[in-house]
Amino acid sequence: MSDLGDSGWYAVRCVFEAQRGVFEERITLWRADSFDRAIERAEDEAREYATTITDSPDAYLGFAQAYRLYDTPGDGAEVFSLMRTSRRTPEAYLDHFFDTGKERQQTL
């Protein structure tokens, strides 16, 4: 990519199996001139990252979703958005997709 002036920022979510039954979703930021190029770059990095997972090397599942940022990355900038249609109630939706009680979140 020779002209960064025409490119944009993309957030790409890739999914990994960190160990049997434990999945990781990572969102990385990429400067690219298209969705395809951002995903290509993210997947290259994902395959490399997967080799560092000692319990399950090569665990990148081949699933990537991209989002083109409309803000410049910075404090409060939106870096990813995904909309999903569901018949679940708001509470059931959160319980099913995000709050199962088995999440592991980074804490300092």
Side-chain angles (χ1 to χ4, degrees):
M1 180 173 44
S2 60
D3 183 11
L4 288 178
D6 290 336
S7 65
W9 284 100
Y10 293 82
V12 182
R13 175 168 61 173
C14 293
V15 180
F16 303 81
E17 185 175 23
Q19 58 187 353
R20 186 171 178 87
V22 178
F23 299 90
E24 178 182 9
E25 297 178 31
R26 291 177 73 233
I27 297 176
T28 52
L29 293 176
W30 300 96
R31 185 89 181 198
D33 56 7
S34 69
F35 277 94
D36 289 341
R37 181 68 178 129
I39 288 173
E40 179 183 318
R41 294 184 68 205
E43 289 190 312
D44 286 346
E45 189 277 339
R47 285 186 285 276
E48 183 178 325
Y49 173 77
T51 65
T52 69
I53 302 171
T54 56
D55 294 334
S56 183
D58 300 319
Y60 172 53
L61 301 181
F63 180 82
Q65 294 176 310
Y67 174 76
R68 186 166 197 271
L69 280 68
Y70 293 96
D71 298 322
T72 302
D75 193 31
E78 182 177 83
V79 297
F80 200 86
S81 177
L82 173 73
M83 297 181 77
R84 180 184 289 131
T85 301
S86 175
R87 294 181 184 206
R88 291 178 172 86
T89 65
E91 183 178 334
Y93 179 88
L94 291 175
D95 288 346
H96 181 80
F97 290 105
F98 298 102
D99 192 19
T100 66
K102 297 178 182 175
E103 294 78 18
R104 299 178 186 185
Q105 296 186 49
Q106 181 178 5
T107 58
L108 298 177

